[in-house]
Amino acid sequence: MQTNASPFVIEDLYRLGWLEDPQVSPDGREVVFVRVTMDRPANANRRAIWIAPVDGGPPRRFTSGTKDSAPRWSPDGRWLAFVGVRGDDPPQLYVLWRDGGEARRLTSLPQGVSDPAWSPDGRRIAFLSRLNAAERALEDSGESEPESADEFTRKQRAERRKYEEERRFDPRVVRRLPYRAGVEFFDDRYAQIYVIEVPDDDDAPVPAPRRITDADLDFGAPVWMPDGQAVLTTATRDPEGDSQFFFFDVLRVPVLPEGRADPQRLTNPGFTHFAPQPSPDGRWIACLRSPEGQPFASATSLVVMDASGGEPRDLTTAADLNIAAYDWLPGNDGLLCLAGYRGAQPLWRVALDGGECERLAQMPDDRFIAEFDVGRDGTVAFVAGEAANPCELYARNVHGVERRLTAFNAPLLDERIVAPFEELVYTAPDGCAVQGWVLHPPGFDPARPGGYPLAVYIHGGPHLMWGPGVRSMWHELQTAAARGYVVFFCNPRGSDGYGNAWRLATQANWGFADAPDVHAGIDALIARGYIDPRRVAVTGGSYGGYLTAWLIAHSDRFACAAAARGVYNLLTQHSTSDAHELVELVFEGFPWENHDVLWRHSPLAYAHRISTPLLILHAERDYRVPISEAEQLFTFLRRRKQIVEFVRYPREGHELTRTGEPEHRADHMRRVLDWFDRFCQPQSGDDVAPRGEHTDG
C-alpha cells in the first residue's frame, strides 16, 4: 500500500467494472471474456469482448461494440461467435476471425438471438430466438418480408413493426403466471431453438437459420451432443404450472438434415433440472437438479445419467454442497464444480464414481469464483474476487499453476486504502457458531474515546452467502469503512455455504430463526469495547431489507436503518411477485391457508412498534419484490409520524444495486451512508440520542 493512498469514495464505483463469461480457446492459449465498464456521461453499463493470453501477456479488446456478450470459440479456434447489438437493432449473432477484422452478422431476426453454441464439427451454430404461434406458422409457410431496397425503407419498416408491436399490448391481456419478470412484461412469444450454417468464408452468402423446435414452451440454452446429431436443452413439463423456476426437465432435440423431430424428455418429476452438459465422449449427460418440494432452501445437486437414458446418479448431496455451476474435465476425468463454502466459493473436483468431492488446493481461502470454464487441455479460466481485489481473470493449468491474466483494478487499488477483512466467529444464543467479518476504518484506534459507529450489512436470499471476495458488495463495504464506520456482516441461519441443515433453518421461520444470529454478532463486537452502542446502523437489500425491517420492529437498539427492495408483507408479496412460489414453498401453503402464519412472519405486522429512523429504497420496476411492499411500510410509518423517507428509482428492477444505471447505484449508496451519518456521525459537540438494548423474539 502506498503511503499517500486515500480512502475509498462513492465515485470509485465508476472505475470498478467487472468481468463475465470466460472461455478458453481450443488450443488453450487464450481466454476470451466480457468486460463490463461504466460509461459515466451516458449513465450506462458497456460490454465488450476482450482476449487475454494464458501465458500472461497483456489483454486486448477484441470487439468494438458496447453491448457484446456470449463469446464462443469455434471448435477449430479460427472463429469467435458472439451476440452483439449494433444501432437500434435487437441482439444478433456475429462471427469474427480469431486474427481480427470486421465482425460478420449472421442473423437478422426480429426478436434477436441469445445463447449461441457451435456444433462439434464447427459448421453450424445453434441459438435461441423468441416467436409466437402465428409467427412460427408464418415462418413455416415460407413467407417472409422482402429485403429492403434501401436504408430509408428499412428504417420505415422497423418503425412500423415497433408501432404495431406496441399496439398489440394496449390494453395488455394476462392469462398466465408469471406475466412479468426482470423489468419487462412477458409477451406471447416463447424461446425456440434455431440452427444456422456458418459460411466457409467471408464471400459466401449467409443461409437463413432453421428452427428445430415448435411449441408454446420456452426452451433453454442449446448444448450440442458430441456426435452433432442432437442438442440438449430444458423445458417445463407443466406449461400450466405457473412457474418460471421449477418443473423443468432435460430434453434431447434431434437435429435432422431438414424438418424437425419431437424432443425426447430425459428426466422425470420430483426434481427440477437445468444446465445439462454431455461428457466429452457423449456417454454421459450431467445436469443440476433441486427437489421440487423445497427448491429454495434445499441444496442444488450435480447428477449424471447415461446418455441413452436411465435414472440419474447424485454425485454431490453426500458432500453437503450447494452446486452453483459445473463443467466436464477432459477425457471424462470427472467434473469441476462451484459451491459456496464458509464465505468463499472455490472449485471442487467431483469423481464420476460418486466419491468424495475434493476442493482444489493452492487457492486462497477468501476467494469467491463467480464463473469458470474448462478448456480441452484442462486449463481452467475463472473470474474471481478476493479480499484485496473484487474481480479479475485467472487461469490455472493442469499442474495447478495459476496466473492472473488481468489487472484492470490495479490503478484504482494502488491509490486507495483497502481495509482488511477480519474473520469473526462468534456464538449464537443457542450455542451455534456463526461466521462473520469486520472491516475497520482507516487509522483505526480501538482505544479512541467514544468508540466507533457500527454499520451492519445483511445479505439477501435468504439463501445467499457473503464473504470477502463477493464483488457486488466489495466497494460498498470498503466505502462504508472509509466513512469512519466499523463494518460488520455475517452469514446467519438460512445462508448458503454451511450445509443443508443451516440453509433449511429458515424454512417457514423467517425472522425468528436468523435475527438472533445478527444480534449476537453485534453483541460480540460491542463486547470488544470500541463500538458505541448508541450508534449502530443496519441495512440490507431484498431479504436483507426484510430482515432489516424485522430487526427494527423487534428491537430499539439501532440508531437508524435503511431497508432496500425488501419483502414486508408476505400476504401481498405472494400475489404481486413474479416468484409467488417462494411464499408457497417456503411457508408450505397458500395465503388463504396460511394467513396467520404469513402475517406473523411479516415485518409489517410489527411496524407499529418501529421507532428507529428508517430510509426505504425501492425500484419502481421491481417485479421480484414489487414496490407496493415499500409503499405499505412507508405509509404505516408515516401515519404514525415516525422518521421515515421513501426513495423510488424509476426504470430499475430488483438488480438495481448490482447492475442498475451507474448514477442510481451511486445515489443508492450515497443516500444510505448519508442517512447513517445523520444519526450516527454527529457533528463535534452534538449529543447522540440514546438507544435502548431491548430486543424481543
Side-chain angles (χ1 to χ4, degrees):
M1 183 180 69
Q2 296 180 358
T3 57
N4 61 347
S6 59
F8 278 92
V9 295
I10 292 171
E11 286 69 25
D12 291 334
L13 173 74
Y14 294 98
R15 299 175 63 184
L16 284 170
W18 65 93
L19 311 178
E20 299 172 338
D21 207 356
Q23 298 288 316
V24 182
S25 63
D27 58 12
R29 293 168 47 201
E30 295 175 307
V31 179
V32 293
F33 58 96
V34 177
R35 184 184 181 192
V36 186
T37 56
M38 275 166 262
D39 184 340
R40 189 168 188 174
N43 187 32
N45 298 316
R46 303 303 193 193
R47 281 175 167 81
I49 296 170
W50 285 61
I51 189 166
V54 170
D55 65 8
R60 60 185 174 89
R61 184 166 177 166
F62 200 56
T63 63
S64 59
T66 59
K67 297 180 181 180
D68 294 339
S69 62
R72 296 294 181 267
W73 293 102
S74 63
D76 60 9
R78 295 189 306 150
W79 293 88
L80 189 74
F82 66 94
V83 174
V85 175
R86 301 294 183 265
D88 296 328
D89 290 338
Q92 301 294 345
L93 181 64
Y94 291 82
V95 291
L96 180 64
W97 287 103
R98 181 174 183 166
D99 296 334
E102 291 293 325
R104 187 179 191 190
R105 179 168 166 168
L106 297 187
T107 62
S108 298
L109 295 177
Q111 303 305 318
V113 307
S114 67
D115 301 282
W118 288 89
S119 64
D121 61 8
R123 296 173 54 193
R124 296 163 291 174
I125 298 175
F127 59 88
L128 299 179
S129 188
R130 302 180 64 83
L131 300 90
N132 59 31
E135 291 164 342
R136 299 198 306 269
L138 182 65
E139 185 180 80
D140 286 344
S141 71
E143 298 180 25
S144 62
E145 191 175 74
E147 287 288 330
S148 300
D150 51 57
E151 184 65 14
F152 179 75
T153 304
R154 189 193 70 80
K155 289 182 178 180
Q156 278 189 320
R157 288 175 175 171
E159 287 296 320
R160 166 60 64 176
R161 283 195 297 268
K162 180 180 178 182
Y163 173 77
E164 292 175 348
E165 184 72 11
E166 291 172 349
R167 289 181 62 84
R168 281 207 315 132
F169 301 104
D170 184 5
R172 184 180 300 276
V173 179
V174 176
R175 296 190 178 93
R176 60 175 174 142
L177 283 176
Y179 58 89
R180 59 184 185 177
V183 295
E184 303 291 345
F185 281 80
F186 294 148
D187 56 20
D188 56 353
R189 297 183 174 94
Y190 296 88
Q192 305 294 317
I193 302 176
Y194 281 81
V195 173
I196 188 170
E197 300 282 339
V198 180
D200 292 332
D201 57 61
D202 293 339
D203 296 325
V206 178
R210 181 168 61 91
R211 181 165 44 84
I212 64 170
T213 58
D214 185 41
D216 284 345
L217 298 173
D218 278 314
F219 291 94
V223 182
W224 289 86
M225 291 295 292
D227 62 7
Q229 301 301 305
V231 296
L232 300 177
T233 185
T234 56
T236 182
R237 77 176 70 97
D238 183 7
E240 298 299 316
D242 295 340
S243 176
Q244 63 175 317
F245 303 108
F246 309 118
F247 317 120
F248 283 84
D249 281 323
V250 175
L251 281 65
R252 180 192 283 112
V253 180
V255 181
L256 305 178
E258 57 184 33
R260 62 179 71 98
D262 292 334
Q264 175 191 3
R265 200 169 294 271
L266 302 180
T267 52
N268 298 309
F271 294 87
T272 189
H273 306 83
F274 49 100
Q277 286 192 48
S279 59
D281 65 358
R283 179 182 174 187
W284 306 99
I285 296 172
C287 71
L288 299 178
R289 74 178 187 185
S290 56
E292 290 175 358
Q294 291 179 329
F296 288 105
S298 294
T300 296
S301 58
L302 174 63
V303 300
V304 65
M305 69 189 89
D306 193 286
S308 61
E311 188 66 21
R313 289 187 294 112
D314 192 315
L315 302 181
T316 59
T317 294
D320 208 9
L321 295 174
N322 181 46
I323 308 303
Y326 75 96
D327 201 358
W328 284 92
L329 290 166
N332 282 23
D333 193 19
L335 305 98
L336 283 186
C337 63
L338 276 182
Y341 182 74
R342 299 188 60 80
Q345 187 157 277
L347 284 165
W348 304 76
R349 184 168 184 144
V350 180
L352 272 177
D353 61 8
E356 289 189 6
C357 298
E358 178 186 5
R359 181 174 176 174
L360 291 195
Q362 301 174 355
M363 284 194 171
D365 290 338
D366 62 0
R367 175 172 286 167
F368 195 100
I369 298 176
E371 298 179 80
F372 77 102
D373 180 59
V374 180
R376 288 182 189 172
D377 64 347
T379 297
V380 182
F382 57 92
V383 173
E386 299 173 1
N389 189 326
C391 186
E392 297 291 357
L393 175 68
Y394 300 80
R396 176 186 173 106
N397 67 21
V398 293
H399 306 294
V401 178
E402 179 185 300
R403 185 188 297 271
R404 191 178 72 181
L405 304 185
T406 63
F408 292 124
N409 292 325
L412 174 62
L413 299 181
D414 287 345
E415 300 172 10
R416 296 289 180 259
I417 300 170
V418 178
F421 289 75
E422 176 197 345
E423 184 185 28
L424 174 67
V425 178
Y426 57 92
T427 304
D430 63 355
C432 287
V434 184
Q435 187 183 30
W437 285 266
V438 183
L439 291 81
H440 297 100
F444 173 72
D445 177 6
R448 188 177 84 167
Y452 287 86
L454 176 65
V456 179
Y457 284 75
I458 302 174
H459 71 62
H463 309 301
L464 297 181
M465 176 193 70
W466 279 354
V470 174
R471 176 195 62 78
S472 62
M473 286 304 299
W474 194 92
H475 170 242
E476 188 166 348
L477 298 174
Q478 290 288 339
T479 303
R483 288 276 282 255
Y485 292 89
V486 173
V487 177
F488 167 67
F489 65 93
C490 66
N491 289 321
R493 242 60 70 103
S495 301
D496 189 22
Y498 302 86
N500 210 38
W502 192 262
R503 289 172 56 89
L504 287 167
T506 54
Q507 179 74 10
N509 200 22
W510 284 13
F512 293 105
D514 43 2
D517 293 346
V518 179
H519 279 300
I522 297 171
D523 292 339
L525 280 170
I526 291 175
R528 291 183 170 187
Y530 57 73
I531 299 297
D532 183 349
R534 302 172 302 166
R535 296 190 287 158
V536 179
V538 62
T539 186
S542 193
Y543 183 82
Y546 166 97
L547 196 53
T548 294
W550 181 273
L551 287 167
I552 63 173
H554 292 78
S555 169
D556 57 4
R557 79 182 308 170
F558 299 98
C560 62
R565 62 191 185 280
V567 176
Y568 309 120
N569 184 348
L570 289 166
L571 293 164
T572 53
Q573 166 70 11
H574 168 268
S575 55
T576 58
S577 171
D578 67 350
H580 53 274
E581 311 103 302
L582 178 67
V583 172
E584 296 171 8
L585 295 171
V586 170
F587 289 91
E588 300 167 3
F590 295 104
W592 52 90
E593 302 167 332
N594 275 347
H595 179 279
D596 293 345
V597 171
L598 294 178
W599 186 242
R600 178 170 175 261
H601 287 85
S602 296
L604 201 67
Y606 311 94
H608 60 283
R609 302 181 185 178
I610 293 176
S611 60
T612 303
L614 178 63
L615 175 68
I616 304 171
L617 308 104
H618 219 104
E620 292 188 341
R621 295 174 70 183
D622 186 343
Y623 300 145
R624 179 59 41 83
V625 181
I627 198 169
S628 55
E629 294 295 298
E631 291 168 338
Q632 294 175 77
L633 182 58
F634 171 74
T635 301
F636 270 43
L637 296 180
R638 175 59 190 166
R639 292 298 292 145
R640 294 186 59 248
K641 305 307 180 188
Q642 298 301 305
I643 301 174
V644 61
E645 288 186 11
F646 181 20
V647 184
R648 304 170 64 106
Y649 289 94
R651 301 180 299 281
E652 299 287 5
H654 199 62
E655 298 301 305
L656 160 63
T657 61
R658 292 180 280 262
T659 59
E661 294 177 13
E663 285 183 4
H664 282 162
R665 293 180 62 198
D667 181 85
H668 194 286
M669 195 184 313
R670 182 177 297 107
R671 289 182 184 275
V672 170
L673 290 176
D674 287 350
W675 188 258
F676 286 3
D677 287 351
R678 176 177 167 184
F679 298 98
C680 294
Q681 299 276 32
Q683 299 297 314
S684 178
D686 289 350
D687 193 14
V688 179
R691 302 296 297 179
E693 291 298 319
H694 169 72
T695 64
D696 68 44

